[in-house]
Amino acid sequence: MKFLNDMKLGSRPCPWYERAKASTRKRQAEWLKRRVVEAYFQQHYDMFDQTVAAFNLPPPPSKKRRLDSLMQEFYLRPNAGLQSEFHGRRHDHGLTECPYCGNPLIPDTLDHFLPKEDWPEYAILANNLVPQCRSCAPIKGRRYYCSTHRRAMFLHPMYSAVLSSVQFKINVSLRAGRPNFEIIFGAARTTAPVDVIRIEQHLREMKVMGRMLEFCVRHWSHWRHKVKTLGIDIEALFRLELGQTSSGEYGPDWATAFKKGVLRDADSLAALNTKPPTPTAPIEELIELNVR
Ligand SMILES: [Zn+2]
């Protein structure tokens, strides 16, 4: 999970809105020429930071419902300039884990932190669009405010520095020869109590524990297969991959926590490190196939 402060852009003017204004699509161009439309969006863009910060209040409902389809159209049918911004945010971010959940996959989709269906005025606001993994996307979906707990369900990766302090620990053990995984979450001791509550809710709403358990089962099978087929030494490989992150029991992402967990438990490590098979016969000489 990651604080993406560097990704945050200005909202007056929002560079993405400026891109939208260059649209040559007739309907989009006509609307964006109207000063009243620009004033409306600027007024909302000015309030966005405040709305995210006021996490214990439901965001004001969208008023100009007749602009819904237009604003969603800017997102769904962007002009070339805006499309290039979306592509950059979706793919050229340098992230190696999902900022929302810590899944060690390169995020390749975008999340509207304030859902575009309910707050279409933020459909193309740069600070409302966050790179996300595809597992998080259907879980977060259109949800935002929890009226039971009276607070936003999620932390915004561009606004919540505390996300970077969340770490994962996985205790691995063997029960009747089968691996058992215990997932533990940690945050910096200095984290404010209100932030601890929000992190816990964020993790629950994103169903991170269940998804990490599934991840562990998949990775156990993956590494077991690698040992059996390639005869690799799991202990040496995990220690090499962990490198300098090998101190402490927690890791910043699920894969690191999994490797540390396996290395901490001698029985689990031995169960993964089964003997390599006898070498298979070398593949005989190949001929090229013509499939053109
Ligand atoms: Zn995710």
Side-chain angles (χ1 to χ4, degrees):
M1 294 163 76
K2 206 150 199 162
F3 179 37
L4 305 177
N5 191 39
D6 292 349
M7 210 171 265
K8 208 160 128 190
L9 301 175
S11 55
R12 181 179 279 266
C14 169
W16 291 14
Y17 185 81
E18 296 302 303
R19 291 278 209 173
K21 276 164 69 178
S23 178
T24 53
R25 295 183 200 278
K26 199 175 167 205
R27 182 169 178 243
Q28 296 181 2
E30 278 177 6
W31 271 97
L32 289 174
K33 268 186 220 150
R34 302 182 189 189
R35 292 181 110 183
V36 63
V37 171
E38 174 138 2
Y40 172 74
F41 286 106
Q42 196 55 63
Q43 179 197 350
H44 280 84
Y45 285 10
D46 286 348
M47 283 174 9
F48 184 76
D49 286 12
Q50 227 176 300
T51 304
V52 172
F55 65 89
N56 49 358
L57 295 171
S62 187
K63 287 180 189 147
K64 300 258 179 175
R65 301 303 300 194
R66 67 199 174 95
L67 288 180
D68 282 13
S69 65
L70 176 74
M71 287 322 291
Q72 293 203 43
E73 182 186 315
F74 280 124
Y75 181 71
L76 299 170
R77 295 185 65 230
N79 62 22
L82 200 49
Q83 175 68 44
S84 146
E85 299 288 358
F86 292 162
H87 185 275
R89 180 65 59 88
R90 199 177 275 127
H91 299 289
D92 301 335
H93 42 57
L95 296 170
T96 54
E97 64 183 68
C98 175
Y100 275 109
C101 71
N103 192 347
L105 289 175
I106 295 173
D108 63 352
T109 188
L110 291 177
D111 168 59
H112 283 88
F113 187 72
L114 284 179
K116 65 181 183 312
E117 294 82 0
D118 296 314
W119 292 279
E121 56 269 36
Y122 298 127
I124 56 166
L125 175 65
N127 292 344
N128 193 37
L129 280 114
V130 187
Q132 184 181 51
C133 77
R134 285 178 188 256
S135 301
C136 275
I139 295 172
K140 181 174 177 294
R142 194 174 161 173
R143 296 184 304 147
Y144 179 73
Y145 188 78
C146 171
S147 46
T148 307
H149 296 103
R150 295 186 183 173
R151 58 177 174 257
M153 296 178 206
F154 311 103
L155 291 163
H156 192 317
M158 292 181 216
Y159 290 77
S160 295
V162 290
L163 277 175
S164 277
S165 81
V166 179
Q167 300 266 310
F168 308 96
K169 179 170 144 183
I170 302 172
N171 287 329
V172 186
S173 58
L174 283 185
R175 287 187 190 168
R178 306 282 304 163
N180 181 70
F181 306 101
E182 181 194 16
I183 311 289
I184 297 161
F185 302 104
R189 190 167 294 282
T190 50
T191 309
V194 64
D195 287 330
V196 170
I197 290 170
R198 293 199 67 201
I199 292 169
E200 288 170 349
Q201 179 165 14
H202 179 101
L203 291 166
R204 269 196 299 273
E205 298 291 351
M206 282 301 196
K207 305 184 190 304
V208 178
M209 185 174 286
R211 290 162 60 201
M212 282 184 72
L213 284 171
E214 288 170 11
F215 172 90
C216 289
V217 171
R218 279 200 314 275
H219 270 241
W220 180 272
S221 300
H222 166 80
W223 288 114
R224 201 152 173 254
H225 180 71
K226 289 277 182 199
V227 170
K228 280 186 172 174
T229 54
L230 301 175
I232 54 174
D233 179 344
I234 281 289
E235 182 172 7
L237 182 68
F238 280 11
R239 289 199 190 285
L240 182 71
E241 288 189 345
L242 289 173
Q244 293 184 341
T245 63
S246 58
S247 64
E249 297 184 338
Y250 285 85
D253 64 75
W254 306 356
T256 304
F258 175 86
K259 288 168 187 163
K260 288 184 171 195
V262 169
L263 289 177
R264 278 199 308 278
D265 187 70
D267 292 343
S268 302
L269 186 57
L272 268 188
N273 253 339
T274 48
K275 297 236 174 192
T278 48
T280 51
I283 296 172
E284 59 188 76
E285 194 178 343
L286 301 179
I287 55 163
E288 279 187 19
L289 301 176
N290 184 2
V291 291
R292 290 183 190 176

